[in-house]
Amino acid sequence: MWAIIGTVCTGAIISFFEIPPLIKKKCWKEIVIFILLLLIGMTLSILIIKDITIPTPIDWITKIYSPLAHFMDRILS
Amino acid sequence: MLEKGKINSGEFLIMVIIFTIGGAILTLPSVLVSLAKQDGWIAYIIATLIGLCFVLLFTRLALLYPSMNYIEVNEKIFGIWIGKISALLFLLYLYYLSSALLSEIGNFFSTQVLVETPMEMIMILFIITSLFGARLGLEVICRTALIFFPWLVLLLFILFVFLIPDIKIENLQPVFEGGMKPIMRGAYHSLALPYVQLVFFLMITPYVQEKADMKKNFYLGTILGGGVLFLVIIFCILVLGAENTTRLTYPSYKLGMRIGIGDFFERVEVIVAFIWIFTEYFKLTICFYGLALGLAQLLGMKNYKILLFPLAFLILTFTIFSHPDIVHYQNFMATAWTPLSLTICFILPLLLLTVGKIRGR
């Protein structure tokens, strides 16, 4: 529980320091991208803290490349 | 222009050397020697020669549009949409590379040095330090590297010179025991670890002042960095033997443990471990910086610094969930990593250069 509160607090502190200068400069696009990325990051950290298994993209990459990897292995061994 | 800093070609040389050494010095000897046995050093020489061909490609591409970095060149040559997709693939690769570096340093610390500290804490501290560096910009990163470089040289010197008494030349024999196949296999797998990643420097070549020297220093840095790695690999084989090197996860750290002059100059491995802490730190920082800069250019933002904090969050979480355990990581490194790196860092730039030449005519 405390870890989740810590994560949210970190996100809030970062936004508190980063967003006001952007509002002053009227960089709306930057604000949207910043908040979006921060929210994705925080969601992922909370999922990790809660011990929920996130499917890793690495497994998909391994699956895509496995024919090529096997082919190279066959040639070179 | 998002980055207004300028670096000179000497700083570029040092960055290339550090980038080549960083990361590879910890894990490469084990991987290479497990594939090619005591002929690992031959495999590494072959890989270096192929790596120089990669550098030829990258310098050609860098000099095609000297004032633009890789993301901008992609959009210029491939057009907006295909260019953006190709640049995004490169950025995803960079994202994975940063998280792999972070997990490497986390694994190293939590298994060898700070055994009771949780790995996440080490990674958080490391990424925060990196974030400071990336926030200060390219010039600061490169000049800090310049300050630390003499220490790096000194520590490498200590490592190699004090190991000379422990060399057993018999460990190198028999040469060509398994024929050419294992050597080629080792060379193929060591292509992806240091050399093909040098494509990253296309992100910072526009900010180097002397273009002619830049080209020369790119080759020189690759050869010098490769030379250091070659020495580390051959010392691992000579001192520890091929079988021991295969069995260890971090053979170069074990080399540091072997140093013993008389009975008083012993257990200096943590001092020697500063070599990989420095190099990994600078490699991570420059990758992180490149990732933020590239993403900001891709999305057409006015400032890249705003992206650093969210990206630190994302890199940290990806490091934790991308590989559930070290077996998964090593399995990925042994199978899909090399073809993946070659696709993104060799085939895409080659395509880019070809299309660019045709369009430029």
Side-chain angles (χ1 to χ4, degrees):
Chain A
M1 196 62 217
W2 283 109
I4 295 174
I5 294 171
T7 314
V8 174
C9 281
T10 318
I13 292 169
I14 294 170
S15 326
F16 180 74
F17 282 107
E18 294 276 14
I19 291 180
L22 287 179
I23 292 176
K24 215 171 273 172
K25 276 187 257 166
K26 294 201 169 57
C27 303
W28 304 117
K29 190 173 165 191
E30 277 84 351
I31 294 174
V32 172
I33 295 168
F34 175 81
I35 291 176
L36 209 66
L37 285 178
L38 199 63
L39 279 181
I40 298 171
M42 274 165 52
T43 319
L44 287 175
S45 357
I46 290 170
L47 287 179
I48 288 170
I49 291 165
K50 289 292 238 177
D51 264 337
I52 297 167
T53 334
I54 307 166
T56 117
I58 303 300
D59 285 343
W60 312 335
I61 295 174
T62 315
K63 214 166 267 174
I64 293 170
Y65 278 99
S66 73
L68 195 61
H70 283 303
F71 175 70
M72 287 311 282
D73 271 353
R74 236 196 0 261
I75 288 182
L76 295 171
S77 63
Chain B
M1 285 281 263
L2 280 168
E3 174 60 54
K4 292 181 191 70
K6 287 278 172 203
I7 58 175
N8 63 34
S9 56
E11 288 158 356
F12 183 72
L13 171 69
I14 284 170
M15 277 327 287
V16 177
I17 296 174
I18 288 179
F19 194 90
T20 317
I21 301 174
I25 194 168
L26 264 179
T27 47
L28 181 66
S30 173
V31 175
L32 191 54
V33 173
S34 73
L35 292 170
K37 299 285 178 287
Q38 62 273 27
D39 294 333
W41 57 283
I42 305 175
Y44 194 71
I45 292 175
I46 296 171
T48 311
L49 293 177
I50 302 172
L52 286 174
C53 302
F54 290 152
V55 177
L56 175 72
L57 166 70
F58 301 152
T59 46
R60 281 283 176 83
L61 197 54
L63 294 175
L64 197 63
Y65 292 100
S67 62
M68 292 180 176
N69 71 18
Y70 189 65
I71 308 293
E72 291 166 314
V73 168
N74 257 315
E75 284 182 26
K76 172 98 181 165
I77 292 177
F78 280 161
I80 299 286
W81 286 106
I82 303 175
K84 273 198 196 305
I85 292 168
S86 146
L88 190 67
L89 284 176
F90 173 71
L91 287 177
L92 286 176
Y93 177 81
L94 219 54
Y95 177 54
Y96 178 74
L97 183 63
S98 318
S99 87
L101 285 168
L102 196 62
S103 81
E104 235 166 55
I105 207 83
N107 279 325
F108 172 68
F109 266 101
S110 62
T111 56
Q112 308 284 331
V113 188
L114 302 167
V115 186
E116 288 183 20
T117 316
M119 192 167 81
E120 287 79 8
M121 209 55 228
I122 297 163
M123 293 200 275
I124 289 171
L125 288 176
F126 216 75
I127 194 94
I128 287 175
T129 328
S130 218
L131 199 146
F132 275 114
R135 217 177 152 79
L136 289 170
L138 182 64
E139 280 188 2
V140 178
I141 301 170
C142 291
R143 295 203 179 130
T144 319
L146 197 65
I147 293 171
F148 279 113
F149 192 65
W151 289 98
L152 202 66
V153 176
L154 180 75
L155 291 169
L156 282 168
F157 186 76
I158 289 177
L159 179 65
F160 293 136
V161 167
F162 288 144
L163 278 172
I164 289 176
D166 286 333
I167 285 179
K168 288 193 209 71
I169 207 82
E170 306 87 70
N171 281 338
L172 220 53
Q173 293 159 337
V175 185
F176 286 114
E177 190 190 11
M180 212 52 200
K181 281 270 173 72
I183 295 178
M184 290 316 288
R185 196 149 172 239
Y188 164 69
H189 278 287
S190 59
L191 278 182
L193 204 49
Y195 290 125
V196 95
Q197 292 170 5
L198 290 170
V199 71
F200 169 77
F201 280 95
L202 291 178
M203 289 295 292
I204 62 172
T205 42
Y207 314 120
V208 184
Q209 272 167 332
E210 306 98 345
K211 295 285 184 246
D213 277 358
M214 185 273 291
K215 194 176 164 187
K216 199 183 70 199
N217 282 348
F218 207 155
Y219 287 109
L220 192 63
T222 314
I223 293 170
L224 287 176
V228 171
L229 283 178
F230 173 73
L231 280 175
V232 170
I233 289 163
I234 203 161
F235 266 86
C236 280
I237 301 171
L238 281 169
V239 175
L240 302 169
E243 255 125 61
N244 261 330
T245 313
T246 312
R247 219 173 295 133
L248 296 164
T249 323
Y250 305 113
S252 42
Y253 186 65
K254 196 78 182 171
L255 277 185
M257 285 187 191
R258 279 294 184 94
I259 293 178
I261 302 292
D263 279 336
F264 61 96
F265 193 70
E266 280 180 336
R267 302 292 306 221
V268 288
E269 69 267 14
V270 176
I271 300 175
V272 175
F274 272 118
I275 300 170
W276 26 103
I277 299 170
F278 283 154
T279 50
E280 291 249 12
Y281 170 71
F282 283 112
K283 192 169 177 177
L284 176 62
T285 310
I286 199 87
C287 281
F288 190 18
Y289 163 81
L291 178 62
L293 181 67
L295 194 59
Q297 278 171 339
L298 192 73
L299 299 173
M301 293 168 70
K302 290 192 191 88
N303 186 359
Y304 75 90
K305 283 173 187 164
I306 187 84
L307 284 172
L308 288 168
F309 268 112
L311 280 177
F313 247 110
L314 286 170
I315 290 175
L316 195 64
T317 45
F318 191 65
T319 311
I320 296 169
F321 81 77
S322 64
H323 294 297
D325 47 51
I326 195 151
V327 179
H328 188 271
Y329 174 72
Q330 282 170 346
N331 193 20
F332 176 67
M333 285 287 153
T335 55
W337 173 241
T338 313
L340 172 72
S341 318
L342 287 175
T343 327
I344 292 176
C345 303
F346 174 64
I347 296 182
L348 277 183
L350 190 67
L351 211 65
L352 197 63
L353 185 68
T354 323
V355 176
K357 286 270 181 202
I358 293 168
R359 292 189 98 178
R361 214 175 270 158

